[in-house]
Amino acid sequence: MNTFSALALAIVPPTDEQMQRPLIGNGKHLLHLCEVDYASLLNTWHSAGIAQIAILLTNKNPIALSLKFKPHASSNSVSGLSTSGHPLSSGFYQQKNELHEQTQNQCQFQSYVSMPLARYEMPTSKESSQYASVNMSTAKASAPSTVEYDELNQRGHSKSGNEDPQSDHRDALPSVAPDKLSDDGYNWRKYGQKLVKGCEFPRSYYKCTYPNCDVKKIFERALDGQIKEIVYKGTHDHPKPQPSRRFTAGALISIQEEKSVNASSLTGQGDTTYSQTLSADQNGTPLSSPRGVNADNVDGASPLLNTVTDDTVTIKCIYFRRTDVGSIDISPVVKPIREPRVVVQTLSEVDILDDGVNMAKKWSEAILILGIYVIPV
DNA sequence: CGTCTTTGACCTCCT
DNA sequence: TAGGAGGTCAAAGAC
């Protein structure tokens, strides 16, 4: 059977200069969700066969992203973002999507309700500018996928931010302590559970136990323990309480998130338009883009940020290459991880392929997102 | 005995 | 304004 190797999605992290750059307007709010779309992977595999990057950026509010992808060193004939033959199924792209237009890539996405999700929602009242990162990874041996998320110190403040390594990379077996599967390094207290209408699974409500921290986490989990969706509300303004073993197993996917919320800006219109730049190519060279990934380019960041209201940004970034080798090889191409991060572990969805082979696990093993950095605008 | 989870009741918001 | 749905509280039980 074909296997996959070297998922090599790498989004160039912001430069120091960018990091130091003052926010445009009063608010900056970006990445909120990172999800791995196994279904897309499967589709990709069936169609593309060799390489694929699937990126889905969705949000309810304007954002500005500059993304750059690097193919795996060993990748050949990487198709970059191109996914010919796949229809865009996401309504998100019906919005103004510069990303889509600029890259001229027909990224296709399949929305599967059963997919594990991790979503961050911005607080509506806090004024903060934070930098955060998310690491997503999948454990081997049919272990559920792991998502690491980390919030960094606010910009302008020292980055002392406790880079506490992630504590506990659990084995993440669905059958064991399902609640722990989403451990992100913070301590959570469950305060409620409810079966929401229209939702297939009960929704659990968690609060961060850190004093004065109002961050909440809501996720839906199937009976078998698989996490179907994770929603974060608010951002931690404190270091992780635990020390860590964070970079131990499988921190394969990294996303840096930078977001800030300004009360005034939050009162803006909620029109869902956002500008973002996505550049990629098979050789690690950025694709042409009106708004490059360079610091200079991001200067032109969308003023739309000033109109950010409520944000829920979904990002799906999947890039992988199929090989005919005998085993799945997950090897990071780059190592953009540069900041402390929270770990969120999720369960991978089990999907069955036409051939009857349960490929979900295989995919989960193969998925690797090395770095997604939201560049400040 | 302290902490965490469970779960029914209550509160708030939206239509 | 009423009803429904989602979110939160808090007592009780489990660990």
Side-chain angles (χ1 to χ4, degrees):
Chain A
M1 172 176 288
N2 291 316
T3 59
F4 308 88
S5 67
L7 300 178
L9 171 60
I11 299 175
V12 174
T15 64
D16 291 339
E17 179 185 356
Q18 288 175 317
M19 293 300 294
Q20 298 302 324
R21 187 166 301 155
L23 301 176
I24 292 176
N26 289 326
K28 179 173 60 177
H29 178 200
L30 300 174
L31 183 62
H32 290 283
L33 182 154
C34 182
E35 88 183 54
V36 175
D37 186 343
Y38 298 109
S40 293
L41 288 176
L42 294 176
N43 290 335
T44 294
W45 178 62
H46 282 298
S47 60
I50 293 202
Q52 183 66 51
I53 296 175
I55 297 171
L56 173 59
L57 300 175
T58 65
N59 68 324
K60 295 178 180 177
N61 298 285
I63 63 172
L65 298 176
S66 293
L67 306 177
K68 178 181 180 179
F69 299 93
K70 288 182 180 180
H72 184 276
S74 62
S75 275
N76 52 7
S77 66
V78 174
S79 63
L81 296 174
S82 173
T83 61
S84 61
H86 294 285
L88 283 171
S89 62
S90 174
F92 294 118
Y93 274 86
Q94 295 175 358
Q95 306 169 358
K96 284 198 248 175
N97 190 334
E98 294 180 3
L99 169 66
H100 188 62
E101 296 174 356
Q102 293 173 359
T103 58
Q104 295 180 348
N105 289 314
Q106 300 298 321
C107 298
Q108 52 189 292
F109 309 95
Q110 295 272 341
S111 297
Y112 284 56
V113 294
S114 61
M115 284 187 251
L117 302 175
R119 177 169 58 231
Y120 279 80
E121 293 181 353
M122 290 306 291
T124 58
S125 60
K126 256 186 178 176
E127 287 190 17
S128 65
S129 171
Q130 293 185 330
Y131 207 90
S133 66
V134 175
N135 281 347
M136 297 184 69
S137 67
T138 57
K140 292 193 108 180
S142 72
S145 63
T146 298
V147 178
E148 287 193 8
Y149 183 92
D150 215 11
E151 293 184 280
L152 302 183
N153 293 334
Q154 295 186 355
R155 289 177 74 185
H157 292 193
S158 75
K159 286 192 168 185
S160 62
N162 199 336
E163 304 224 357
D164 288 1
Q166 196 55 26
S167 64
D168 237 26
H169 249 21
R170 290 170 174 70
D171 291 338
L173 294 176
S175 61
V176 178
D179 286 341
K180 301 299 183 181
L181 294 176
S182 62
D183 186 5
D184 52 9
Y186 292 96
N187 293 326
W188 302 93
R189 177 180 59 83
K190 185 175 183 178
Y191 64 90
Q193 177 174 322
K194 197 177 187 96
L195 182 59
V196 177
K197 185 179 181 179
C199 294
E200 185 178 359
F201 310 104
R203 183 174 297 177
S204 297
Y205 301 88
Y206 291 83
K207 283 181 180 177
C208 179
T209 60
Y210 193 90
N212 299 324
C213 181
D214 200 28
V215 177
K216 294 174 184 176
K217 177 170 70 175
I218 303 170
F219 64 83
E220 296 176 16
R221 185 171 49 215
L223 296 177
D224 59 359
Q226 291 186 347
I227 296 173
K228 300 303 181 183
E229 180 173 5
I230 301 175
V231 177
Y232 288 85
K233 291 185 177 181
T235 57
H236 299 277
D237 55 358
H238 59 86
K240 293 179 183 178
Q242 304 175 357
S244 69
R245 301 173 336 200
R246 147 182 228 193
F247 290 114
T248 56
L252 299 179
I253 298 167
S254 172
I255 295 173
Q256 272 204 342
E257 169 183 16
E258 178 175 359
K259 53 190 175 183
S260 70
V261 175
N262 181 287
S264 62
S265 65
L266 291 175
T267 59
Q269 56 275 29
D271 185 27
T272 325
T273 59
Y274 60 93
S275 65
Q276 52 192 4
T277 297
L278 177 71
S279 61
D281 83 355
Q282 303 159 339
N283 296 324
T285 308
L287 295 176
S288 63
S289 168
R291 186 172 302 145
V293 295
N294 294 331
D296 295 340
N297 293 334
V298 281
D299 282 342
S302 172
L304 290 174
L305 287 175
N306 293 328
T307 64
V308 172
T309 56
D310 172 71
D311 284 22
T312 297
V313 179
T314 298
I315 293 181
K316 294 179 182 178
C317 295
I318 297 168
Y319 169 86
F320 53 86
R321 181 169 65 87
R322 189 182 71 183
T323 65
D324 291 329
V325 190
S327 63
I328 295 171
D329 177 14
I330 301 173
S331 60
V333 175
V334 296
K335 194 173 181 182
I337 297 171
R338 49 189 262 176
E339 297 295 349
R341 49 199 55 86
V342 175
V343 173
V344 177
Q345 295 178 331
T346 64
L347 295 175
S348 61
E349 182 61 12
V350 176
D351 292 324
I352 305 300
L353 286 181
D354 296 340
D355 58 4
V357 177
N358 183 334
M359 291 295 293
K361 291 179 180 179
K362 294 184 182 302
W363 279 111
S364 67
E365 292 169 358
I367 294 169
L368 170 61
I369 297 176
L370 293 175
I372 300 172
Y373 291 91
V374 176
I375 297 177
V377 296

